[in-house]
Amino acid sequence: MHILLHGSAFVLRVDFVLIYLKCMIITEMIHDAGLSDAVYAGMCREIGTPTEVRIRREVVDTNEMAARPLWILQGCNRMMSGSNREGFRFKKADLDWMIWLQNHEVIDNLSQIILYSNPRHTVFLMEFDDIHPPGFPRLKLVTNNELIHYIFFSCIVINDKIYLSSSSFRNIFLHYIRQLSATMASSIQHGPCSTHTFLKMDADLAFCLRSHHWPSIALPWIQRCQLKKWPPNCVLSTIIKEGCHVVPINSSTSYPERDCEWRLSFSGAERILVYSFNHCQFLCYGLLKIFLTEIINEGKSEPCLCSYFIKTLVFWVIQNNALLNWIPSNLLMCFWICFKLLISWVYRGECPNFFIPQNNMFRVK
């Protein structure tokens, strides 16, 4: 990456910027607006200008929209998530896809079942209690209308009630993926996803279930957004209509009794939030991701910090710092505020989920 100072032939390379950021972290150096402008210009070259990022997103959105009728005809739907969908084009980027069945629906309370009177619908009810961690519901089978075989064989009986096992679901789906093509034959399990190499990139496929309803456990998030006035109401209403997904991973592999737990995923909501960033916010997010990869996690085979924590961090900073000026000449100060919060989280051993704060995402780290 090259960073050009406006009105000057001076060229600043990325290694100098990273050294500067290290020094700033050690000494909390006085903010330099000129250098912030230079970093902003260089990040536009490295990550993309507002126009380039917008075009990338539109291309992905259009491709997804064009392919959706064919997927629905086959009984499925899909959504790209991750850095590529957000508008980044990193050299080591992964492809992340979420795939779900059209006629399998997840509801939050039984009153919503009247919306699914179609005999082809199979409905699961999210169950939350004090025993299971926040954000990890159990899925109880409510209507057994058209269970396909890998759903049927993933069901287990607990106290005369039928629940969907997340581990069985993952294993059956991994076996199914391996049969599809030679490319996917080498797929391995990675969290809730099956991972294989595609076009020299790691492709993660998360076979999940969709809920068109905003979960009751995340209702306080709506109130917090309205109180903090971020995101704006137009963005907030779009997110609520998006609903959520549940992905097949439990809160702890050390407890077999939690096999019927699934994790709430707000990937659709997160995409909408990132799309609502101004370009300075987006570049700060990108700079934090680069810093994570090239400084914090450099040489670590199993790093504790991941890019999802960075995304969560940026969401919290934007929402809780209404007076923070997200402009090019303030980019490094915005970075510094984000990084100080990350340091605070690490010291406390607490990374609150943006949608369900009582879910500490450092809990298993």
Side-chain angles (χ1 to χ4, degrees):
M1 175 175 65
H2 294 79
I3 302 176
L4 304 180
L5 285 174
H6 297 293
S8 171
F10 179 65
V11 177
L12 193 64
R13 295 189 57 82
V14 67
D15 49 1
F16 179 82
V17 175
L18 293 177
I19 290 171
Y20 171 83
L21 292 173
K22 281 185 184 179
C23 294
M24 186 171 68
I25 288 166
I26 295 171
T27 64
E28 196 164 355
M29 293 170 63
I30 298 173
H31 172 57
D32 188 328
L35 188 55
S36 281
D37 281 329
V39 173
Y40 179 90
M43 292 299 291
C44 283
R45 291 167 61 89
E46 178 74 7
I47 290 179
T49 64
T51 301
E52 289 171 335
V53 172
R54 176 178 55 80
I55 290 173
R56 290 172 193 162
R57 292 171 177 172
E58 288 177 354
V59 168
V60 175
D61 291 346
T62 302
N63 286 339
E64 192 170 280
M65 190 179 301
R68 183 168 293 131
L70 179 60
W71 277 82
I72 292 176
L73 189 64
Q74 297 172 344
C76 295
N77 206 338
R78 67 172 184 172
M79 176 182 75
M80 179 185 277
S81 58
S83 293
N84 267 46
R85 182 60 183 267
E86 291 169 350
F88 294 108
R89 291 299 180 267
F90 294 123
K91 292 180 181 178
K92 296 182 180 180
D94 297 334
L95 292 175
D96 301 301
W97 292 93
M98 301 181 74
I99 304 171
W100 62 93
L101 296 167
Q102 280 292 103
N103 59 346
H104 287 59
E105 183 69 27
V106 176
I107 60 176
D108 185 61
N109 63 71
L110 284 174
S111 65
Q112 297 164 349
I113 199 170
I114 61 173
L115 301 172
Y116 307 101
S117 56
N118 188 319
R120 296 190 62 189
H121 271 126
T122 295
V123 181
F124 292 91
L125 173 68
M126 286 189 279
E127 285 188 348
F128 298 93
D129 56 37
D130 295 334
I131 299 175
H132 297 263
F136 288 87
R138 294 170 298 181
L139 297 186
K140 183 175 75 173
L141 181 65
V142 179
T143 64
N144 182 6
N145 294 323
E146 195 172 295
L147 281 173
I148 61 177
H149 69 280
Y150 46 85
I151 296 286
F152 176 79
F153 288 111
S154 300
C155 289
I156 56 177
V157 179
I158 302 176
N159 297 329
D160 297 326
K161 298 176 183 178
I162 301 175
Y163 291 90
L164 196 57
S165 162
S166 55
S167 62
S168 297
F169 186 93
R170 285 197 314 271
N171 293 334
I172 292 173
F173 177 61
L174 178 63
H175 177 74
Y176 170 74
I177 284 293
R178 286 173 173 171
Q179 311 304 313
L180 290 181
S181 67
T183 304
M184 296 183 178
S186 60
S187 295
I188 60 172
Q189 201 70 52
H190 180 235
C193 307
S194 66
T195 302
H196 66 278
T197 302
F198 177 73
L199 297 177
K200 297 182 178 180
M201 291 188 292
D202 288 337
D204 288 340
L205 302 180
F207 199 40
C208 57
L209 297 178
R210 170 77 185 271
S211 175
H212 287 85
H213 310 278
W214 191 256
S216 56
I217 195 172
L219 287 176
W221 176 80
I222 299 175
Q223 299 168 352
R224 191 177 82 232
C225 292
Q226 292 170 336
L227 179 66
K228 301 283 188 177
K229 301 188 185 305
W230 191 87
N233 286 332
C234 58
V235 176
L236 182 61
S237 60
T238 303
I239 288 174
I240 296 169
K241 291 176 184 176
E242 178 76 18
C244 65
H245 295 80
V246 284
V247 295
I249 189 76
N250 59 17
S251 59
S252 176
T253 55
S254 303
Y255 297 92
E257 65 272 16
R258 293 181 176 176
D259 187 48
C260 57
E261 288 179 348
W262 290 58
R263 187 178 71 201
L264 282 173
S265 170
F266 297 95
S267 290
E270 290 159 6
R271 182 197 72 236
I272 296 170
L273 285 174
V274 173
Y275 277 22
S276 73
F277 285 179
N278 68 30
H279 201 56
C280 184
Q281 291 168 336
F282 184 71
L283 292 185
C284 183
Y285 174 32
L287 185 56
L288 285 160
K289 287 166 76 76
I290 292 173
F291 197 86
L292 176 72
T293 303
E294 299 189 15
I295 301 296
I296 300 175
N297 290 341
E298 176 65 22
K300 293 182 175 66
S301 57
E302 295 183 5
C304 287
L305 298 180
C306 66
S307 60
Y308 187 73
F309 298 153
I310 296 300
K311 183 191 300 186
T312 302
L313 176 79
V314 176
F315 289 159
W316 279 111
V317 170
I318 294 175
Q319 187 174 74
N320 287 334
N321 293 267
L323 300 179
L324 185 58
N325 206 4
W326 293 90
I327 58 174
S329 61
N330 206 37
L331 176 59
L332 290 179
M333 182 59 70
C334 296
F335 172 92
W336 179 226
I337 290 172
C338 292
F339 196 81
K340 284 199 293 185
L341 179 59
L342 180 61
I343 292 172
S344 171
W345 283 358
V346 171
Y347 272 113
R348 298 202 317 263
E350 181 181 1
C351 176
N353 183 277
F354 185 63
F355 300 93
I356 307 174
Q358 58 268 41
N359 176 17
N360 176 14
M361 296 189 296
F362 280 174
R363 181 176 47 82
V364 295
K365 293 293 183 180

